[in-house]
Amino acid sequence: MCKSMHSNFPINLIKGEIKLWKAYWLFGIVGNIIFSLLILFVTSSTYINIFFTVISIIYYIITLIGIWNSASNYNGFKLWPILAKIIVIFSILGTLSQFNE
């Protein structure tokens, strides 16, 4: 990966220029697990929790957009982009349903 790819990482993810498997597995699954664990274990300050929560939400939105766009740009087996988009839709619906509790 070249230097410009690293420096423009969020833009490249949003544009779907990152491979679908990386967008989904590395950034969608592993990245969100890491943020969840950080929020869970960083309880020393309310402000730190708020900070990590806000960053996590921003990361979550960028990742979902990135997975969707990477799926749109995917040229391999046709089932993978369909499943990725279905998972993005269910993730959004699951998140929105938490506001009804």
Side-chain angles (χ1 to χ4, degrees):
M1 208 181 290
C2 65
K3 183 181 178 186
S4 64
M5 184 71 154
H6 286 294
S7 62
N8 295 322
F9 161 73
I11 302 299
N12 292 329
L13 181 60
I14 289 171
K15 288 182 177 180
E17 294 174 352
I18 293 178
K19 293 181 180 184
L20 179 58
W21 75 267
K22 282 185 183 179
Y24 180 80
W25 288 105
L26 294 181
F27 303 112
I29 301 297
V30 175
N32 280 304
I33 288 171
I34 291 169
F35 273 110
S36 296
L37 291 173
L38 281 172
I39 292 168
L40 182 65
F41 291 116
V42 178
T43 58
S44 62
S45 167
T46 302
Y47 296 113
I48 293 173
N49 271 342
I50 291 170
F51 172 76
F52 277 118
T53 301
V54 169
I55 297 298
S56 177
I57 291 168
I58 293 168
Y59 178 83
Y60 179 72
I61 292 168
I62 289 171
T63 302
L64 289 179
I65 292 169
I67 291 169
W68 186 276
N69 289 334
S70 291
S72 295
N73 294 335
Y74 184 76
N75 292 320
F77 184 59
K78 297 296 179 191
L79 181 62
W80 300 136
I82 293 168
L83 290 175
K85 287 184 175 185
I86 289 170
I87 290 170
V88 166
I89 291 168
F90 281 133
S91 295
I92 293 168
L93 292 175
T95 301
L96 293 175
S97 73
Q98 293 178 358
F99 291 110
N100 290 329
E101 294 180 359

